[in-house]
Amino acid sequence: MRRRKARVAGVGSARAGSEKRVVALEGATLLRLLLFGFLFCRALYLSRPPAPALKSAAQLADLREAGRMAAAVLERLDREILPGVSTARLDAVARAFIEGELGATAAPLHYGGLTGGLLRGYAAGEALCAVAHASAHMVSRAVWGGKPLPVPPLCGFPASVCISINDVIAHGIPSEAAVLREGDLVNVDVTVRAASGAHGDTSKCWVVGAPPLDAPPSAGAGDAPAPDGLRRRRKLALVAREALWVGISAVRPGVTLGEVGAAIGQHIADAGYSSVIAFVGHGIGSRFHEAPAVRHAAGGPSAGVVLLSGMALTLEPMVNEGSPAVRIDADGWTARTLDGRDSAQWEHTIAVSADGAEVLTLRPGEVPPLISSRQRPRGGGPGVLT
Ligand code: MF3
Ligand code: CO
Ligand code: CO
């Protein structure tokens, strides 16, 4: 504080003494040093992305609990996915379940907004956001003829879950206007923040009106004949689910993220589809999104990260029927395929264990898909695939 005063005096005074000029010089040098330090740290950070944090036993226990909660939300939604149901209704069911039954919060609500950190969880904050959204909508109606505002809202993601239908790759916003129709390919992505602060992040697909895509093979549902129109979407969704499990089976200590990504990407390419690289999986813990970025294909900035027991991350391959190119709607969130063809995604939160992967968001009774040995990553994984 004192130094700053001296400098101001030195600059402003015509009869500045030599002592004052020295102080002013020091200030400029200090600024330059600070700038250099900042640029150096930034270059270091970019050249060596931070390794994922190792979780303590207590943190892993919290992540297990959060993972179980997120899995329970998807199970709760199973019976709601019916023709005629709006995605706003699915969002309301999920939110009521997360807050009422689980005593947790929905991490997507207000996520990424300027005010998100401050407002999250406070009723007043939510009321403020509701008013802000309503006014934004009125302004957009008046000025842009009903089109959503061309900037992401201040309040972040405006719902509790993401619901992505057909050509929507991810981050679809639930709405009253989006009503499920027979044959729609629907993904619901749930992220729960438990009271401990730990997160569980998971998603799955349904084809509306078709048998479940994740029923155990013994139930025979996977073999049930599907009407022609549903087959194409069913196959896309099943390959996306396999891609997730190919990735999970490649995870164990000593393996790099690049190897996991390559196994996922290869499975998707073998099926004739493309893997989206504009969006990635991520480390997870007391923050929703942590380092590193997990690419669902070979390469990428984190390809060299070596997995160690105690790391927690998500795998969430997005599989496009056609091109992997993405475009974002004017709402600032909804990510669609550029070519308008369909996209499917499944996600699990996993912890790297001593000899493989522990799937923290595994649903009770969920059985990994059967994948032929030709498609398995080299080494066969921890044996989660049968
Ligand atoms: N759940 C998504 C993920 O898998 C992220 C959603 S961010 C949101 O990482 F803001 F759109 F909710
Ligand atoms: Co995720
Ligand atoms: Co997610």
Side-chain angles (χ1 to χ4, degrees):
M1 196 53 150
R2 261 228 230 112
R3 184 170 279 208
R4 199 165 157 257
K5 263 190 199 155
R7 191 184 164 212
V8 169
V11 168
S13 160
R15 292 171 290 134
S18 60
E19 195 191 313
K20 282 176 186 166
R21 237 179 276 131
V22 168
V23 173
L25 267 181
E26 272 179 8
T29 311
L30 192 70
L31 269 180
R32 258 185 231 122
L33 270 176
L34 279 175
L35 184 67
F36 178 77
F38 169 76
L39 289 175
F40 180 77
C41 292
R42 187 169 168 273
L44 199 70
Y45 177 88
L46 289 178
S47 68
R48 301 166 60 177
L54 293 177
K55 300 324 195 225
S56 69
Q59 287 172 317
L60 284 171
D62 289 343
L63 282 166
R64 264 180 213 115
E65 185 202 27
R68 268 197 306 272
M69 288 178 171
V73 180
L74 287 182
E75 290 222 298
R76 171 67 186 83
L77 290 175
D78 264 337
R79 70 180 116 114
E80 306 289 334
I81 309 288
L82 297 165
V85 171
S86 76
T87 57
R89 148 100 186 147
L90 300 176
D91 182 65
V93 169
R95 183 172 183 183
F97 186 78
I98 292 167
E99 295 177 357
E101 300 282 317
L102 301 174
T105 52
L109 192 61
H110 308 318
Y111 178 84
L114 280 181
T115 50
L118 278 176
L119 297 181
R120 190 170 293 138
Y122 294 102
E126 290 191 11
L128 202 67
C129 281
V131 171
H133 282 298
S135 353
H137 187 69
M138 277 164 56
V139 172
S140 96
R141 271 230 294 241
V143 181
W144 282 283
K147 276 184 274 169
L149 284 178
V151 287
L154 279 181
C155 296
F157 191 77
S160 298
V161 293
C162 300
I163 306 186
S164 305
I165 302 178
N166 299 339
D167 68 321
V168 178
I169 298 169
H171 308 161
I173 301 175
S175 95
E176 292 293 349
V179 173
L180 300 187
R181 285 172 310 186
E182 191 96 14
D184 275 346
L185 172 54
V186 187
N187 168 283
V188 180
D189 191 338
V190 170
T191 310
V192 164
R193 187 189 309 106
S196 65
H199 291 80
D201 188 5
T202 183
S203 82
K204 65 172 274 190
C205 284
W206 295 262
V207 174
V208 180
L213 298 157
D214 50 0
S218 56
D223 309 324
D228 269 1
L230 305 186
R231 267 199 210 126
R232 188 180 48 83
R233 283 180 171 152
R234 222 181 131 72
K235 183 173 168 244
L236 180 68
L238 288 173
V239 167
R241 180 166 184 253
E242 287 171 6
L244 167 61
W245 282 93
V246 163
I248 292 171
S249 75
V251 167
R252 64 185 161 284
V255 164
T256 63
L257 276 182
E259 290 173 281
V260 175
I264 294 172
Q266 190 60 53
H267 187 77
I268 295 168
D270 284 351
Y273 300 132
S274 63
S275 180
V276 173
I277 57 167
F279 298 112
V280 291
H282 48 93
I284 187 165
S286 54
R287 279 175 299 137
F288 186 169
H289 293 114
E290 297 185 355
V294 180
R295 183 183 285 206
H296 304 105
S302 313
V305 169
V306 178
L307 295 179
L308 297 173
S309 175
M311 290 175 177
L313 47 106
T314 72
L315 295 179
E316 45 183 304
M318 285 140 278
V319 179
N320 286 5
E321 204 177 15
S323 138
V326 175
R327 76 183 165 90
I328 310 288
D329 279 3
D331 61 21
W333 286 103
T334 312
R336 291 179 194 273
T337 59
L338 189 63
D339 61 12
R341 298 180 71 187
D342 290 334
S343 183
Q345 179 183 29
W346 297 69
E347 174 176 24
H348 271 311
T349 298
I350 62 169
V352 183
S353 62
D355 58 355
E358 180 184 353
V359 182
L360 303 178
T361 45
L362 193 71
R363 297 179 287 281
E366 181 185 357
V367 179
L370 289 161
I371 299 170
S372 76
S373 56
R374 185 184 64 80
Q375 296 166 314
R376 282 192 209 185
R378 244 199 299 269
V384 287
L385 306 176
T386 50

